[in-house]
Amino acid sequence: SQKIEQNSEALNIQEGKTATLTCNYTNYSPAYLQWYRQDPGRGPVFLLLIRENEKEKRKERLKVTFDTTLKQSLFHITASQPADSATYLCALVATGGFKTIFGAGTRLFVKA
Amino acid sequence: SAVISQKPSRDICQRGTSLTIQCQVDSQVTMMFWYRQQPGQSLTLIATANQGSEATYESGFVIDKFPISRPNLTFSTLTVSNMSPEDSSIYLCSAMGTATNEKLFFGSGTQLSVL
């Protein structure tokens, strides 16, 4: 069956360090992969999109890598800040489709 | 970008009743979707709201339980019918824009509690 797996354990890091979150998927042929941020009581907010033929994407302090052989994406936040504390969701859209399917998310806590 | 207004933001309902959730987008969008999110869980796609025709439901969701309307390109409703406590969840409206036809925009969600 199709699965998108994110680390269910919360990630606790110190301010200024790099946070790295993992997204693994099985039985998908993704056209592209996205990362969203979700704060409590709010809907997800789009952060970055990476396509199947791209290895890496950057946006300010954010970096996403995509390895279709390993079926894995890594999401990095450099120089993390307490304001980065949130749940980060990985999402896939399959080749030829339009529906966005989400992982359960990883909660990130950045301590000052 | 698109701004999505969703209401109500929360409600407490009695078993057996129905609740209609409204979703208004500030611009025309190509596609609208309804998701459900239970605590600590991923977003589960309920259906794609199709403009002018019946919604397309995902496995495990049926029209009688979750009727959806989309009368135009900026508005949709989701009704949760004949509610039971198992329907307690957050319901999220989302849209995919015409200019940004890959990323999703979300409303703030409706927190539903069924007693």
Side-chain angles (χ1 to χ4, degrees), chain B:
Chain B
S1 64
V3 176
I4 298 179
S5 301
Q6 189 175 334
K7 59 181 183 181
S9 59
R10 61 178 62 236
D11 208 341
I12 300 172
C13 300
Q14 295 297 318
R15 182 195 299 258
T17 62
S18 298
L19 175 72
T20 296
I21 303 167
Q22 297 182 5
C23 177
Q24 178 73 55
V25 190
D26 69 343
S27 58
Q28 292 188 347
V29 291
T30 51
M31 310 196 79
M32 295 181 74
F33 306 92
W34 288 96
Y35 285 86
R36 182 171 73 182
Q37 186 176 32
Q38 293 172 316
Q41 305 287 319
S42 65
L43 281 72
T44 300
L45 182 62
I46 297 172
T48 303
N50 300 309
Q51 193 261 327
S53 65
E54 197 170 282
T56 305
Y57 290 84
E58 297 301 303
S59 175
F61 298 95
V62 295
I63 187 171
D64 290 345
K65 177 66 177 177
F66 297 102
I68 288 170
S69 78
R70 189 177 172 195
N72 56 51
L73 291 176
T74 64
F75 185 78
S76 178
T77 66
L78 168 74
T79 298
V80 186
S81 303
N82 188 24
M83 288 184 283
S84 67
E86 292 71 36
D87 295 320
S88 298
S89 189
I90 298 172
Y91 292 85
L92 289 154
C93 170
S94 70
M96 191 179 278
T98 53
T100 55
N101 60 354
E102 292 166 330
K103 64 183 180 183
L104 291 178
F105 299 93
F106 283 86
S108 290
T110 297
Q111 172 121 37
L112 171 62
S113 298
V114 183
L115 304 178

Side-chain angles (χ1 to χ4, degrees), chain A residues 43-58:
Chain A
V45 174
F46 171 81
L47 296 174
L48 278 170
L49 179 153
I50 187 165
R51 301 185 190 283
E52 59 172 338
N53 60 350
E54 297 175 317
K55 297 291 185 188
E56 183 179 297
K57 264 289 184 62
R58 290 174 185 262

Side-chain angles (χ1 to χ4, degrees), chain A residues 27-90:
Chain A
N27 296 322
Y28 276 108
S29 294
Y32 53 89
L33 183 147
Q34 304 173 26
W35 285 87
Y36 289 78
R37 169 182 172 142
Q38 187 174 24
D39 292 283
R42 310 296 295 269
V45 174
F46 171 81
L47 296 174
L48 278 170
L49 179 153
I50 187 165
R51 301 185 190 283
E52 59 172 338
N53 60 350
E54 297 175 317
K55 297 291 185 188
E56 183 179 297
K57 264 289 184 62
R58 290 174 185 262
K59 179 183 176 183
E60 297 172 352
R61 294 185 296 112
L62 308 180
K63 184 177 86 171
V64 173
T65 63
F66 194 12
D67 188 327
T68 54
T69 301
L70 289 179
K71 297 186 186 300
Q72 181 181 79
S73 175
L74 298 179
F75 177 77
H76 306 271
I77 305 174
T78 58
S80 59
Q81 305 165 1
D84 295 326
S85 299
T87 297
Y88 291 86
L89 306 171
C90 167

